């Protein structure tokens, strides 16, 4: 898994690209505090020919966001998250992006 951050000079925004190697998966998305953990508003990742799912979202910089991937309905964390935060609601840790 990989997270790439690209800060824009013209706006207070960071383009965050998520990459998830999941050849066997049918659907991969990203949910988090930036989309109210709503799967209908989730950032859907596109499957590339090499089996990696990839997608980009613009997020306001100088913020922290909790997030998790949804791979075929299962919630998983990114091992390259900036930090992890415990969620009593999920009973598990969420990945954290610090922008």
């Amino acid at each position: 898994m990989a997270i790439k951050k690209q800060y824009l000079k013209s706006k207070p925004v960071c383009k965050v690209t998520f990459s998830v190697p999941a050849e066997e998966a049918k659907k991969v998305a990203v949910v988090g505090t930036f989309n109210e953990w709503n799967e209908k508003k989730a950032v859907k990742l596109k499957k590339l020919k090499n089996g990696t799912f990839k997608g980009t979202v613009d997020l306001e910089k100088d913020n922290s966001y909790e997030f998790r991937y949804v791979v075929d309905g299962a919630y998983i964390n990114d091992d390259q998250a900036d930090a992890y935060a415990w969620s009593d609601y999920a009973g598990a840790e969420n990945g954290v992006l610090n922008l």
Side-chain angles (χ1 to χ4, degrees):
M1 289 179 231
I3 300 170
K4 181 182 164 203
K5 300 174 187 174
Q6 180 184 2
Y7 292 91
L8 302 182
K9 292 179 181 172
S10 58
K11 299 182 207 169
V13 167
C14 179
K15 283 186 168 300
V16 181
T17 301
F18 298 98
S19 299
V20 180
E23 283 186 50
E24 304 300 317
K26 290 185 175 34
K27 290 193 305 187
V28 179
V30 184
V31 293
T33 51
F34 50 84
N35 57 19
E36 300 157 3
W37 297 98
N38 185 333
E39 285 193 49
K40 289 181 179 156
K41 296 179 184 176
V43 179
K44 292 177 180 36
L45 306 186
K46 183 179 177 186
K47 190 170 191 174
L48 306 177
K49 288 180 182 175
N50 67 2
T52 298
F53 284 79
K54 197 170 190 177
T56 302
V57 63
D58 291 353
L59 298 174
E60 194 175 306
K61 70 177 194 172
D62 299 325
N63 283 307
S64 291
Y65 301 92
E66 292 184 28
F67 75 100
R68 292 186 91 182
Y69 296 114
V70 184
V71 180
D72 289 343
Y75 285 80
I76 61 168
N77 270 327
D78 192 312
D79 56 1
Q80 294 186 9
D82 295 326
Y84 298 94
W86 180 259
S87 167
D88 286 334
Y89 180 79
E93 287 186 327
N94 294 326
V96 176
L97 274 176
N98 294 316
L99 304 178

